[in-house]
Amino acid sequence: MIVSQRIKIRRGKVGSEQLLDHIQKYFKDTLDGDVLRFAIVGTSGATLVVDVSIKVADAAQKTQKDGGKRAHG
């Protein structure tokens, strides 16, 4: 399943030369799933507003892998 969301990333004292590395490190450290695409859509002070699409494991896919068994709570 693909999930799109807007997130805020604090820029801190990162210069423009290291900005891409900073954003990719943030994704790696905080997001679950594979980032398919992202776009910086704005800024708010020292914070970047980023639109990101993430490929995450779908709950239906997990149950199919387990032989179609569903956990009931």
Side-chain angles (χ1 to χ4, degrees):
M1 170 173 34
I2 297 174
V3 177
S4 294
Q5 61 186 26
R6 287 222 171 144
I7 58 175
K8 293 183 179 180
I9 302 173
R10 297 217 26 102
R11 183 173 177 170
K13 295 184 179 183
V14 175
S16 58
E17 299 85 16
Q18 295 86 23
L19 191 57
L20 179 59
D21 291 333
H22 177 69
I23 292 170
Q24 289 175 327
K25 183 176 180 337
Y26 178 87
F27 291 159
K28 181 180 172 189
D29 293 345
T30 60
L31 299 178
D32 293 329
D34 298 324
V35 175
L36 301 176
R37 67 152 196 89
F38 72 93
I40 299 171
V41 295
T43 59
S44 176
T47 303
L48 301 171
V49 180
V50 180
D51 185 29
V52 62
S53 293
I54 307 163
K55 183 176 181 181
V56 294
D58 189 3
Q61 291 173 344
K62 289 182 183 177
T63 57
Q64 289 174 358
K65 289 179 183 177
D66 296 333
K69 298 177 185 174
R70 293 183 183 239
H72 296 284

